[in-house]
Amino acid sequence: MFYGIDVEALDPRFGLALGERENMGAHRVLMAPPAGGDFAVKPGRYRAVVSRGVEYDFVEQEIDVPAGGSTTLAVTLDHLLDTTGWLGGDFHMHTARSPDGKVTPCERVAEAAAEGLDIAISTDHDAYTDYLPCIEEQGLAPIMANVRGCEVSNMGSGGHRNAYPLPIAPDWVVQNSGPQYWVSLSAQELNDKLHAEATHPAVQINHGRSTDSYMNWVQFDPVSGTVGRSGQTLADDWDAMETSNGGSFPFDDVDLFTPANDGLLQEMADSARGDVPLWADYLGFLRLGWHISAMGTSDVHGRNEGTGYARSYLPLGDDPTTLTEDQVRFNIHSAELFL
């Protein structure tokens, strides 16, 4: 990421053009492949910050880029977080194949690699996306595994859910028909339909307390394990649920999960405003005796908006090249995943 110190001022006639200003307060953001490369930036003096996600340190230094010339930025990043035996992935990411996505599949793959993810899971809205061609094109196959999924974005019967892995047949209905896959189905019927797919995907509750999501829709009480929505029962066969979506924390105050505050949690659930922490819902499922995996995801849609924050780690070794979609699915099903 390049932060301008002495760079030509932004020309408002061109808006927020790439290379002028980007998210996170940066002037220019580059996703460099393992072998590096040449990139165009406006001439001037910058504070350059080189990073590769949460497992590595970062290097910060000032550089000058002359007009009509070039400069070299070469750094070494130390791997500070010992993840031996674990592979990290982001189990909720979008591309322009989603109606609200803003980057190409290859741009998303580049960001995932730049943030140090070992596994890239495609979860576009009611669309099938395969990251593998982009992974191979960018020379990332030795460091990144591919899992093909989808965010099944049903409305009116319990909200969005991810399913992964999913069939890759070109005539698979979500690939061609989108909402026709889930229209008129109840939350339970949709879970059953997804689990019946040939790949037996894991099914994940997404952002459970947003307006269009399951826990709010069904008005789940995490203390009693009951639902408040008339005529509804709690759908089962969930394999995973997001306990941190994007930059949200699972909870702010651990005291909220003590018996003394059970009444407060129930008031939050009754209000249906989305105030209930997702971690409370996760604990509520555990009280019911359900085996379910707690997931940290980014739900990223745009460029440089936090790919890999949050992320989840699976205890599946250290080599992404040997990882299979079946292993990922089995690990989630086994509820052996830790946030």
Side-chain angles (χ1 to χ4, degrees), residues 50 52-59 75-81:
V50 185
R52 191 168 182 255
V54 296
E55 295 182 22
Y56 293 79
D57 68 350
F58 64 92
V59 173
V75 304
T76 298
L77 301 179
D78 293 327
H79 193 197
L80 302 181
L81 180 63

Side-chain angles (χ1 to χ4, degrees), residues 131-218:
Y131 286 153
L132 185 59
C134 295
I135 290 174
E136 293 178 339
E137 176 185 317
Q138 297 178 47
L140 298 173
I143 64 171
M144 180 175 289
N146 177 50
V147 176
R148 293 158 287 197
C150 173
E151 182 168 22
V152 183
S153 306
N154 59 313
M155 305 295 291
S157 62
H160 298 187
R161 69 207 65 198
N162 280 350
Y164 47 80
L166 284 174
I168 62 174
D171 60 347
W172 189 59
V173 66
V174 170
Q175 169 72 355
N176 298 298
S177 305
Q180 292 184 32
Y181 186 87
W182 50 258
V183 68
S184 79
L185 297 181
S186 69
Q188 185 64 63
E189 289 170 338
L190 182 53
N191 283 3
D192 293 343
K193 183 175 182 178
L194 286 166
H195 280 125
E197 292 287 352
T199 50
H200 306 296
V203 177
Q204 169 183 303
I205 301 174
N206 289 349
H207 40 74
R209 288 293 175 173
S210 69
T211 303
D212 56 356
S213 296
Y214 185 68
M215 313 310 290
N216 255 18
W217 182 82
V218 81

Side-chain angles (χ1 to χ4, degrees), residues 71-285:
T71 190
T72 299
L73 177 62
V75 304
T76 298
L77 301 179
D78 293 327
H79 193 197
L80 302 181
L81 180 63
D82 184 4
T83 57
T84 301
W86 298 80
L87 295 174
D90 189 342
F91 287 73
H92 194 169
M93 301 190 294
H94 294 275
T95 75
R97 298 214 63 229
S98 294
D100 53 357
K102 303 172 185 176
V103 302
T104 68
C106 286
E107 287 173 326
R108 180 63 66 219
V109 165
E111 283 199 16
E115 295 293 355
L117 293 175
D118 306 304
I119 311 169
I121 298 90
S122 59
T123 57
D124 280 314
H125 290 288
D126 295 322
Y128 169 80
T129 303
D130 188 357
Y131 286 153
L132 185 59
C134 295
I135 290 174
E136 293 178 339
E137 176 185 317
Q138 297 178 47
L140 298 173
I143 64 171
M144 180 175 289
N146 177 50
V147 176
R148 293 158 287 197
C150 173
E151 182 168 22
V152 183
S153 306
N154 59 313
M155 305 295 291
S157 62
H160 298 187
R161 69 207 65 198
N162 280 350
Y164 47 80
L166 284 174
I168 62 174
D171 60 347
W172 189 59
V173 66
V174 170
Q175 169 72 355
N176 298 298
S177 305
Q180 292 184 32
Y181 186 87
W182 50 258
V183 68
S184 79
L185 297 181
S186 69
Q188 185 64 63
E189 289 170 338
L190 182 53
N191 283 3
D192 293 343
K193 183 175 182 178
L194 286 166
H195 280 125
E197 292 287 352
T199 50
H200 306 296
V203 177
Q204 169 183 303
I205 301 174
N206 289 349
H207 40 74
R209 288 293 175 173
S210 69
T211 303
D212 56 356
S213 296
Y214 185 68
M215 313 310 290
N216 255 18
W217 182 82
V218 81
Q219 297 174 27
F220 179 64
D221 181 336
V223 177
S224 65
T226 59
V227 299
R229 191 177 186 91
S230 177
Q232 295 296 318
T233 57
L234 189 63
D236 57 18
D237 283 341
W238 302 103
D239 303 297
M241 66 179 298
E242 293 180 340
T243 54
S244 181
N245 175 284
S248 65
F249 290 101
F251 51 83
D252 294 319
D253 184 1
V254 69
D255 290 339
L256 186 59
F257 306 106
T258 62
N261 282 308
D262 282 352
L264 178 58
L265 273 178
Q266 290 180 307
E267 289 179 12
M268 291 178 175
D270 290 340
S271 73
R273 293 195 311 268
D275 295 338
V276 177
L278 295 174
W279 195 256
D281 290 331
Y282 174 67
L283 295 177
F285 276 20

